[in-house]
Amino acid sequence: MANHLRKKVDLGEWKITVVDQYSKHYYQPGFLFMPFGLYTEQDVVKPKRKFIPSGVEYLEAQVDRIDAANNQVALASGEILKYDLLIIATGAKTAPSQTEGMLGRDWRKRVFDFYTFEGASALAQALREWKGGKLVIHICEMPIKCPVAPLEFAFLADWWLAQKGLREKTELVYVTPLSDAFTKPICSNVLSYMLKEKRIQVVTDFNIGSVDNENHKIVSWDEKEVPYDLLVTVPTNMGDPVIERSGLGDELNFVPTDPNTLRSKAHENIFVIGDATDVPASKAGSVAHFEAEVLTKNILRHMRGEPLEPGFDGHANCFIESGYGKAFLLDFNYNLQPVQGSFPLPGIGPFSLLKESRINHWGKLAFRWVYWNVLLKAVPMPGIGHTMTRVGKRIPTELLQAKATV
Ligand SMILES: Cc1cc2nc3c(=O)[nH]c(=O)nc-3n(C[C@H](O)[C@H](O)[C@H](O)COP(=O)(O)OP(=O)(O)OC[C@H]3O[C@@H](n4cnc5c(N)ncnc54)[C@H](O)[C@@H]3O)c2cc1C
């Protein structure tokens, strides 16, 4: 947002300040590849300052509280920042303490996550020592960042274990709180087929109650049990505690946000972007990028005293790594679930939607470069706008007739 607004706002009239607590910025999609030794630290970390444009003030500080009634932000140091307009972009983080026993004796010994840099690094070490057994991939509850990442982990694990000669010695199990492999029905059918083909057992409707460190098993509320030798879990994802301390969030600390204008539902001069919102779009970097384009326009409208435009359609675009040098690509929004087709050029591609291809895999790998050089720098992506296009998509008739839901 700083990179967008820097180009559009009169800096004689407005002062832009970015506050962030950490000096490092992580390319989180790269955490998926770290456990398999495909990416290392240098592929996923860069200094945050590198991306702050000139003319924008950058404060490395923790926000303790947002006082929306008085238009001010209190930093942990005690310093108070007054604002006319606030953009909340505090993201989502894992909260393993939300599950009983998750942080017990097995944590980072037999129980790992790959949603943090530390977790992905520790899991890489554990996989280097893996000799076979029951490897369970598990999601605690929805929503999570990049909801396809655990499936990608399962597919990559199948491939990686085969390369290491360990696939026949490893039972792979995918445990989800959903009733199917994924949230969107057509896509779910395709991904369920892939799981079956790769001999990955699926346990659905599993709502975790606790981790039993003694007997190395996860136990659901309705007393189903799944034993593990190695558990790769995605802990509950929550908004930052500052949202709770400030009384601005829902029960998971996500900020109630208008899904189309991206303004906070409670405060006229607060806007929300990325994983911090409660909008029913995917929590993904691509979504934050599309949101930023809409939000920039709406912030300029707000500054001019004009009505906001409901311009965000929930557009998400994500690759699903499926192993063996192949990947899927999904392109969808609030009203249209992922369907087959070609992207971004109708009939030409080069990417195929909801279909495995090698070019999609190269796209997934290129996404890292795109992230550092295009998304963070707020450079428009040629041919890929914030509004999802239906051109090039093979939309089943029943979906064509479906009404807009958000
Ligand atoms: C394993 C994994 C794989 C993924 N794969 C993909 C993918 O393939 N494609 C894709 O598009 N997306 C993917 N994502 C999701 C993507 O990384 C996130 O959606 C994206 O980073 C969200 O950006 P954000 O700016 O909203 O939040 P973040 O990037 O998390 O940034 C939040 C910032 O707020 C700061 N902050 C929070 N609270 C405070 C506070 N109190 N005081 C000061 N600073 C604070 C944090 O320090 C942080 O810098 C993946 C994520 C994971 C974990």
Side-chain angles (χ1 to χ4, degrees):
M1 284 310 296
N3 278 304
H4 274 290
L5 292 172
R6 161 76 184 78
K7 295 177 208 154
K8 302 271 167 58
V9 165
D10 178 355
L11 292 182
E13 211 180 322
W14 290 86
K15 182 180 167 199
I16 305 174
T17 304
V18 174
V19 185
D20 199 307
Q21 58 197 340
Y22 301 127
S23 58
K24 291 176 182 171
H25 183 84
Y26 289 101
Y27 170 60
Q28 298 177 43
F31 296 167
L32 170 72
F33 294 117
M34 287 176 63
F36 305 105
L38 300 171
Y39 279 4
T40 59
E41 180 170 3
Q42 67 195 39
D43 296 311
V44 300
V45 188
K46 285 195 198 292
K48 221 159 241 171
R49 274 185 195 278
K50 200 172 142 70
F51 300 95
I52 306 292
S54 62
V56 169
E57 186 188 21
Y58 179 55
L59 290 180
E60 200 180 301
Q62 193 187 24
V63 176
D64 178 50
R65 205 171 289 265
I66 298 162
D67 177 359
N70 294 304
N71 296 334
Q72 60 187 35
V73 165
L75 304 184
S77 62
E79 191 185 340
I80 302 287
L81 302 178
K82 291 260 179 203
Y83 64 81
D84 294 298
L85 193 155
L86 180 71
I87 302 172
I88 298 179
T90 41
K93 49 168 64 167
T94 55
S97 61
Q98 293 289 310
T99 304
E100 190 190 323
M102 176 93 58
L103 292 174
R105 273 209 312 258
D106 277 354
W107 180 246
R108 300 262 159 97
K109 292 191 180 65
R110 283 173 185 253
V111 176
F112 293 85
D113 78 295
F114 67 99
Y115 266 50
T116 57
F117 176 74
E118 295 73 21
S121 308
L123 180 54
Q125 178 61 33
L127 282 182
R128 275 198 290 272
E129 291 161 14
W130 180 252
K131 302 271 182 291
K134 191 160 180 170
L135 198 166
V136 176
I137 300 143
H138 163 250
I139 303 167
C140 278
E141 60 177 307
M142 302 303 278
I144 57 169
K145 300 193 248 197
C146 192
V148 293
L151 281 164
E152 293 184 280
F153 188 94
F155 296 150
L156 277 178
D158 167 68
W159 162 78
W160 184 85
L161 290 162
Q163 306 304 302
K164 300 280 171 198
L166 291 165
R167 184 62 184 97
E168 296 312 315
K169 295 180 187 151
T170 306
E171 193 184 339
L172 274 177
V173 186
Y174 187 80
V175 183
T176 169
L178 299 172
S179 298
D180 217 331
F182 190 52
T183 47
K184 318 271 176 185
I186 296 178
C187 181
S188 208
N189 287 344
V190 175
L191 297 173
S192 296
Y193 177 77
M194 289 292 293
L195 286 162
K196 204 168 166 194
E197 218 186 23
K198 292 177 189 290
R199 293 178 294 125
I200 301 168
Q201 189 196 327
V202 182
V203 179
T204 55
D205 300 306
F206 189 96
N207 293 304
I208 191 163
S210 62
V211 179
D212 176 349
N213 290 259
E214 200 76 32
N215 301 300
H216 314 304
K217 57 188 182 190
I218 47 175
V219 184
S220 70
W221 284 111
D222 52 357
E223 290 170 6
K224 281 185 280 188
E225 295 180 349
V226 179
Y228 60 80
D229 293 304
L230 184 66
L231 177 70
V232 178
T233 186
V234 180
T236 300
N237 281 205
M238 294 181 78
D240 193 87
V242 68
I243 302 301
E244 186 183 16
R245 286 197 296 274
S246 310
L248 291 174
D250 61 16
E251 69 283 1
L252 285 172
N253 299 346
F254 295 122
V255 185
T257 305
D258 183 292
N260 304 114
T261 65
L262 302 173
R263 177 155 47 194
S264 136
K265 284 184 177 166
H267 301 277
E268 286 256 300
N269 61 343
I270 297 185
F271 295 82
V272 199
I273 186 167
D275 295 351
T277 75
D278 75 336
V279 304
S282 277
K283 294 197 182 296
S286 62
V287 171
H289 174 78
F290 297 136
E291 286 176 341
E293 293 181 359
V294 174
L295 190 51
T296 301
K297 290 184 194 155
N298 270 342
I299 282 178
L300 295 174
R301 284 188 193 103
H302 174 83
M303 287 171 168
R304 294 192 295 261
E306 294 169 7
L308 307 186
E309 262 192 22
F312 184 59
D313 66 353
H315 189 189
N317 183 282
C318 31
F319 290 100
I320 307 178
E321 198 58 22
S322 52
Y324 295 90
K326 293 185 186 169
F328 290 85
L329 176 64
L330 311 182
D331 192 60
F332 58 103
N333 70 6
Y334 290 140
N335 303 322
L336 183 67
Q337 58 173 294
V339 291
Q340 290 200 338
S342 46
F343 185 88
L345 300 174
I348 296 173
F351 302 120
S352 331
L353 294 173
L354 202 49
K355 215 172 149 199
E356 242 192 336
S357 79
R358 290 201 184 277
I359 292 189
N360 288 348
H361 165 69
W362 290 113
K364 172 89 184 180
L365 296 186
F367 185 63
R368 181 162 60 102
W369 186 91
V370 171
Y371 184 88
W372 294 123
N373 295 288
V374 177
L375 303 197
L376 288 190
K377 293 183 179 166
V379 176
M381 281 195 278
I384 308 177
H386 64 75
T387 305
M388 190 207 71
T389 174
R390 289 178 169 241
V391 183
K393 293 190 170 69
R394 290 199 285 282
I395 307 175
T397 328
E398 64 274 18
L399 295 187
L400 277 172
Q401 284 150 2
K403 280 261 175 277
T405 49
V406 180

